[in-house]
Amino acid sequence: MFSKGLFFAISKILPAKIAYAHCDVPCGIYDPKPAQIAAQTVLKMAQVIQNLSTQNPTVNDKNKFVRCVLTKEEYAGKCKEELLILWTDYFKTEHLKMFPNLHETFWKAAKLCSINKQEVSLGRAKELAAAVDEIADIFNKTKTSTSKK
Amino acid sequence: MSPTFENGDIVLVNRLSYLFEKPKAEDIVIIKREKYIIKRIAKIKKGQIFVLGDNENASTDSRSCGWTDKKEIIGKVIAKI
């Protein structure tokens, strides 16, 4: 009906504008990987902190302790931020029908991020990593169901 | 708006459509937010439209952003070129 040649001729006189399909970020870049990396970093830091020498620590030991705590703090925060993006922006009502415990799962994972900031606990860090992996699994299942349509 | 529109598609928009008719469900429209957005009208209420993307599981649309004022409609998409 409209030839591209005619369109481009008109567009030279009346330049076309770009319309986007997304209000904020392109949908395709939602990914649970950053949250998983952050959770694994928290776990690694908890392991390193617990293995640090508490008997007569050197200045370097003290420096390493502070750096590990800072990193744990930073990545627990990043993990929560990434989870909240997935929870509030990616997941929709349709996904709740497939995964009725979705809100509960996210809420617990977000709480674990805070707990891991407050504590140095291998158990809690492992719980966080497992909770984020579970969310990644849910995310991947929603992607599979989309591509089957 | 996949699969109806993909990145780089060129569409023709009638800016005058809604001078002569009212927006209706299923119309594909360009709306103006911080930038131009292409979406499909799903529901209409007084002065406002609820828009959805065709890629329903992945789209960011009125389910996240809420109802849109009809005044934000730039025009109706009438053809893909």
Side-chain angles (χ1 to χ4, degrees):
Chain A
M1 186 175 164
F2 297 96
S3 77
K4 282 200 174 183
L6 177 63
F7 176 81
F8 286 119
I10 294 170
S11 69
K12 292 223 170 182
I13 308 164
L14 302 165
K17 293 184 177 174
I18 294 174
Y20 298 85
H22 304 281
C23 304
D24 40 37
V25 293
C27 303
I29 68 167
Y30 289 118
D31 196 321
K33 264 278 177 287
Q36 286 178 293
I37 292 169
Q40 287 297 330
T41 305
V42 171
L43 175 57
K44 184 73 186 171
M45 288 304 109
Q47 288 167 340
V48 173
I49 292 167
Q50 292 209 332
N51 289 333
L52 282 175
S53 167
T54 51
Q55 299 294 318
N56 304 319
T58 63
V59 171
N60 271 336
D61 288 338
K62 290 176 184 172
N63 183 57
K64 190 172 181 182
F65 170 76
V66 171
R67 292 189 69 193
C68 288
V69 171
L70 274 176
T71 305
K72 181 175 71 69
E73 188 86 6
E74 181 189 346
Y75 278 84
K78 268 188 189 173
C79 188
K80 189 194 259 183
E81 191 182 324
E82 291 291 338
L83 289 176
L84 294 185
I85 290 170
L86 289 175
W87 190 8
T88 57
D89 293 347
Y90 172 74
F91 283 100
K92 305 282 190 299
T93 313
E94 289 78 7
H95 298 132
L96 263 179
K97 290 173 194 160
M98 293 166 66
F99 303 99
N101 293 329
L102 190 73
H103 288 329
E104 181 80 5
T105 307
F106 267 102
W107 184 70
K108 281 183 177 170
K111 284 277 180 199
L112 278 167
C113 292
S114 304
I115 290 167
N116 274 282
K117 286 177 94 175
Q118 294 157 1
E119 301 174 6
V120 181
S121 161
L122 264 182
R124 290 302 206 175
K126 283 178 184 169
E127 278 180 43
L128 173 63
V132 175
D133 284 346
E134 186 187 346
I135 286 168
D137 191 44
I138 292 172
F139 177 90
N140 291 331
K141 282 176 181 161
T142 63
K143 287 288 179 187
T144 311
S145 72
T146 306
S147 60
K148 279 179 186 168
K149 280 190 174 179
Chain B
M1 280 296 284
S2 180
T4 314
F5 298 111
E6 302 294 343
N7 284 346
D9 280 351
I10 297 169
V11 295
L12 195 62
V13 177
N14 186 349
R15 286 172 172 258
L16 305 177
S17 280
Y18 298 128
L19 291 180
F20 309 107
E21 59 176 301
K22 288 183 177 176
K24 57 185 185 302
E26 294 300 315
D27 282 357
I28 297 173
V29 292
I30 303 291
I31 55 177
K32 189 172 185 184
R33 286 274 170 93
E34 303 83 32
K35 55 192 180 185
Y36 289 137
I37 309 281
I38 184 168
K39 292 287 170 195
R40 189 185 293 276
I41 296 176
K43 293 182 273 189
I44 299 170
K45 67 178 182 183
K46 203 175 180 182
Q48 290 188 307
I49 55 170
F50 193 89
V51 293
L52 295 176
D54 284 0
N55 187 2
E56 68 171 39
N57 273 351
S59 175
T60 310
D61 45 43
S62 286
R63 291 171 297 175
S64 314
C65 313
W67 289 80
T68 298
D69 201 308
K70 273 187 193 171
K71 289 174 189 165
E72 291 181 7
I73 299 176
I74 295 295
K76 178 180 175 182
V77 175
I78 55 171
K80 182 159 86 170
I81 297 169

